[in-house]
Every structure is written in C-alpha cells, then in structure tokens.
Amino acid sequence: LHTCRAVHTDERNGVLRPLPLVNGVTYVPTSPGVCDACVSDAQVRAAWADLLLGQLPSHEAQARRSASRGLGEVCLEAYARFEAAYEAWLTEVKNHRWVAQEPPTLLWMVSEKERIVAASGLGDTFAAMKREENSVALAMLAELCEELDRAPRPSDEGGVAPALELALACCLAGNLFDAGAAELLAEESYCGSMDCDVDLESDSAPGLVLNNDVVAQTFRKTRTSCERGSWRYDDALELAQRLSCSSQPIRRAIIFCDNAGADVMGMVLLARTLLRLMDLRQVDGKVALVANSRPALNDITFQELTDFVDAARKSDKVIDELVSDGRSVCLPSGQHTTLLDLGRVS
C-alpha cells in the first residue's frame, strides 16, 4: 500500500468505463466547440495540426533534458523515431480529405500522438521538467497552507468562505505555471524584466528555472490577479451553498489534476480546503485526487501525484492527517492523453 493510500485499480485488462456521474450516451468529451470543429472545418484541423507541429522543438528540448538526467526512460534514438512518425502523421492530417465516417476530432488527434509515443518506445520526455516544477511547488506549499488556516471562518449567514476563495485563486494561478510559461508568468504577475529573474535554460527548454524565493514571489503576484472578482465565470457561491446546506451537503468530490508543479499544488490545496469545510459541518467527507495513468506532455501522472502528496504530508500536518484517515486518496484515471474523456475511466 503506497503511503499516499493510493487506491489502485487493475488496468491490465484494459477495461475503461464511463464515469457513473456522466451520461454515457449523451456525454461529449472536451468542448464541442473546440473538438468537433476539426471534423467539419479543414482550416481548423490544419491550424491544430500546425500548432501540434510547432511543439516539436519543445518536445526535443525536454527529451534531451530528461535523458541527460536519466529520468523518464527517455532514449534520444526513440525520440528521433517518434518525431519522424509524428511529423509525417500530422502532415497527413492537414492534407487528407477526411470522409464523414472518419471524424478527426482534437481528442482523436492527441490520442493518436500518445499511440505514436508508445510505439516509438519514447518514455516520458517531460519527466525532468515535472520533477523540477514539483520541487518548486512543494517549497511554496507550507506557506499557503498556513495562509489557508489563518483565513476567517465561514459566517453562518452564507457567502463564500475566504479559504475557499483563496484555494480557488491558487488553482487558477497554478494553471498559469504551464509548460513554457516563464515569460507569460512575468507578464501576468506584473513583473518587469528588472523585477523578476525569469529565464529559460540555455538549451531554451521551456519551464521555470528559478530559485524558490523568486517563484514564490511570482506566484503570489499571479494569485492576486486570479482572485475572485476577476473571474469571467463564478460559481463559487453555488459551490459554497452545496457544501454548507443542511439537507444534502457534498460528501464526495473527485478532482482531476492537470499539469505538474504549481497546478497540482493548487488541486491539493483545494482538496484540503473542501475537507476542512466538510469538517466544520461535521460531514464525513472524502476527496479523490485523480491523475493520468501514463505520461502525456507535462501532465502529472498517478505515480508523480502520489509522490507529490507524500512529500506534502511532510510539510503540512493537516494533509498528513487527511491521508492517514483515508479521507484524501489518489486514483489513476486510466488515461494517457492531454484531454480528459470521462467516458473512459478506470
């Protein structure tokens, strides 16, 4: 049993089923406006293919970065095979005249990429980057947990608990720490070039190469820009009401994690906050953190998620207690693509 109390499922038989909370008949994975446009519009399909082709220099840099550190079982010969096959396939996607029976949705396109990765024996090209960003995020975690604990208690008159607002802002800010976002971070956090030492590695590999203090400072400013009031869509009050209602309060939550680093840190903080709010209402709650079973770009994997949570337990006694009690668990999604399909989970 992993120390994160990870709940394993036997995926060797390849059985994936729709998540019970979605309608397996009418459910459409990802945004139809993004995904299905590839089916009917050749220009949209070509634009996505060009975007994916444009990621190849980043993939190569990350492959060299991981191989040089002996991480992710990355072989540069395998990378060369992958790039040649992937580039040829994307070129075919752009030029092929697809018939109605062969709908090339964006989900299908990114899934095909992972099949080419597996066939090439490439390994996890982003392994080094993910390890570095997880380390930087863990250095910020204790401070943010203390800030959450200092937040005022929710009032009996309703509204959104300050801790919940803070946790959601951390989730949004963490999402800005995506692959290749170092320069964007400086802009989003209102830092000038003289104020924030945001640099790429000498090989131009995307990702943050910063000391912990600078990253923490940048994250604080980014989080300020993500606080409630600046959101285009705001369902925080509805969530707060569901958590606090006396008849049928939320007792279970599944949080699907995306990128490594500050992104998954935000998800861990959200899980911690939801469970603390459940405790205030004396609700026997449980929250599952879910990650891809196998690598895809810089998305965190199930194994990396359990390692991250184990490390978080050492710096925060609340997370440690929630995991020890079995109220916070980690689950593998059964997937290995950058787009989530809730119609096929473990």
Side-chain angles (χ1 to χ4, degrees), residues 93-307:
V93 167
K94 289 176 59 178
N95 299 330
H96 186 66
R97 296 196 174 198
W98 299 91
V99 297
Q101 290 75 22
E102 300 175 349
T105 65
L106 183 59
L107 178 62
W108 177 81
M109 291 168 68
V110 297
S111 298
E112 184 65 22
K113 174 193 174 181
E114 301 309 323
R115 285 192 286 271
I116 296 173
V117 167
S120 304
L122 177 54
D124 186 356
T125 56
F126 283 76
M129 174 186 172
K130 290 187 290 182
R131 174 174 291 192
E132 292 163 8
E133 294 199 349
N134 282 344
S135 176
V136 171
L138 285 166
M140 296 188 287
L141 183 71
E143 175 187 331
L144 291 168
C145 288
E146 292 174 2
E147 187 175 353
L148 283 168
D149 292 339
R150 291 195 304 269
R153 290 172 60 93
S155 67
D156 294 333
E157 300 176 359
V160 181
L164 182 58
E165 288 195 16
L166 171 59
L168 293 172
C170 287
C171 290
L172 295 173
N175 196 253
L176 293 181
F177 280 68
D178 200 350
E183 294 175 334
L184 172 64
L185 273 174
E187 178 182 350
E188 286 295 322
S189 58
Y190 312 111
C191 292
S193 59
M194 299 300 294
D195 299 322
C196 288
D197 183 19
V198 181
D199 294 312
L200 299 179
E201 283 189 330
S202 57
D203 60 2
S204 296
L208 296 172
V209 188
L210 301 169
N211 65 61
N212 292 346
D213 290 339
V214 173
V215 172
Q217 177 187 0
T218 308
F219 182 84
R220 291 188 202 103
K221 293 183 178 181
T222 308
R223 194 195 76 199
T224 299
S225 70
C226 294
E227 289 177 354
R228 192 174 180 219
S230 64
W231 306 347
R232 182 171 182 178
Y233 302 101
D234 184 353
D235 293 318
L237 180 58
E238 181 181 354
L239 173 60
Q241 291 171 340
R242 287 289 311 279
L243 285 166
S244 62
C245 69
S246 57
S247 57
Q248 283 189 313
I250 292 175
R251 298 175 55 249
R252 299 289 185 266
I254 304 173
I255 300 177
F256 291 92
C257 302
D258 190 8
N259 305 133
D263 202 347
V264 73
M265 178 189 70
M267 299 299 107
V268 171
L269 293 174
L270 178 60
R272 181 188 190 274
T273 302
L274 291 176
L275 288 167
R276 296 275 275 181
L277 291 174
M278 292 176 184
D279 286 344
L280 289 176
R281 299 291 178 176
Q282 297 183 325
V283 171
D284 179 23
K286 181 175 287 190
V287 175
L289 291 159
V290 182
N292 278 3
S293 297
R294 298 189 299 282
L297 288 182
N298 66 320
D299 288 357
I300 195 165
T301 64
F302 170 65
Q303 184 59 59
E304 291 165 340
L305 173 64
T306 58
D307 291 343

